Amino acid sequence: MTLNELQRSFADLDAADLDRWIDNRWVRPEGRPGAYVFHEIDVARTRLVAELRELAIDDDALPLVLSLLDQLYGVRRQMKLLCTAINAQPEEVRRALLVAVRVSAAPMDGADADPERGGA
């Protein structure tokens, strides 16, 4: 997608804002100024930045919010890969993993070893 096509896709997208987003590396198209190529991920990122700006996230906070969202999306991708790998295992292994997860997630007896919760 070209710059003009991207701008037509977003009615309220200001060219100066988009330039700033590219300069700040919040949106990372291929190419150079005047000859950018925007891929699907760039369009999604542009939409995300625009939505965050509508939520009154300012330019100072935006890098942190984007970083946290990037981390969240990365964890989701890893979880999908993990689920795929687990589902490929024999039933016995899947059951053992399920039991281990349930045991790990269960609340510990008493106050446990967390000093802020009254433990040792």
Side-chain angles (χ1 to χ4, degrees), residues 56-100:
I57 306 289
D58 65 21
D59 285 0
D60 292 333
L62 201 55
L64 175 62
V65 173
L66 290 171
S67 175
L68 292 171
L69 287 171
D70 288 343
Q71 290 175 49
L72 178 62
Y73 294 143
V75 169
R76 285 177 54 184
R77 280 190 301 275
Q78 291 296 318
M79 289 300 295
K80 285 180 183 178
L81 292 172
L82 181 59
C83 286
T84 300
I86 290 171
N87 287 331
Q89 299 304 309
E91 180 66 24
E92 177 182 312
V93 173
R94 291 195 314 262
R95 284 186 192 165
L97 287 169
L98 181 60
V99 168

Side-chain angles (χ1 to χ4, degrees), residues 10 12-14 17-18 21 26-27 43-57 62 66:
F10 293 89
D12 297 334
L13 182 61
D14 181 62
D17 284 341
L18 182 58
W21 300 351
W26 300 339
V27 177
V43 175
R45 187 69 165 206
T46 300
R47 183 173 293 109
L48 174 61
V49 173
E51 289 173 359
L52 291 171
R53 296 300 311 266
E54 287 176 13
L55 294 172
I57 306 289
L62 201 55
L66 290 171

Side-chain angles (χ1 to χ4, degrees), residues 1-10 13-15 17-23 25-47 49:
M1 178 179 285
T2 67
L3 177 60
N4 290 335
E5 292 169 333
L6 180 72
Q7 288 176 316
R8 282 193 299 269
S9 299
F10 293 89
L13 182 61
D14 181 62
D17 284 341
L18 182 58
D19 286 340
R20 190 174 70 257
W21 300 351
I22 293 169
D23 289 344
R25 311 246 330 124
W26 300 339
V27 177
R28 298 177 184 160
E30 289 183 2
R32 55 181 170 66
Y36 288 125
V37 176
F38 295 86
H39 297 282
E40 186 176 327
I41 188 75
D42 303 309
V43 175
R45 187 69 165 206
T46 300
R47 183 173 293 109
V49 173

Side-chain angles (χ1 to χ4, degrees), residues 100-115:
V101 167
R102 287 181 177 159
V103 167
S104 296
M108 299 187 121
D109 292 338
D112 69 32
D114 186 344

